[in-house]
């Protein structure tokens, strides 16, 4: 919920944001945390901003 990355992915794929967040947390924990954190930071800069 920091930068809206998981919410944006859920919106793009028409999924529940909670499920995407849980899946992302599980994936990050299974990969020792660091790769998941690095990927999240990269996605913060790569993903386009939502038009208001």
């Amino acid at each position: 919920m920091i930068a809206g990355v998981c919410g944006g992915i859920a919106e793009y794929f028409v999924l529940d944001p909670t499920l995407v967040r849980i899946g992302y947390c599980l994936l990050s924990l299974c990969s020792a945390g660091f790769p998941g954190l690095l990927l999240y930071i990269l996605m913060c800069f790569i993903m386009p901003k939502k038009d208001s």
Side-chain angles (χ1 to χ4, degrees):
M1 296 177 112
I2 296 171
V5 172
C6 293
I9 291 171
E11 184 177 318
Y12 183 78
F13 289 109
V14 190
L15 297 170
D16 182 27
T18 304
L19 294 176
V20 175
R21 288 182 183 109
I22 290 171
Y24 185 78
C25 287
L26 289 174
L27 181 67
S28 292
L29 290 173
C30 290
S31 65
F34 181 72
L37 179 63
L38 184 62
L39 182 63
Y40 193 91
I41 292 170
L42 287 173
M43 287 190 292
C44 287
F45 292 108
I46 294 172
M47 290 182 66
K49 302 288 182 201
K50 183 177 179 180
D51 295 333
S52 296

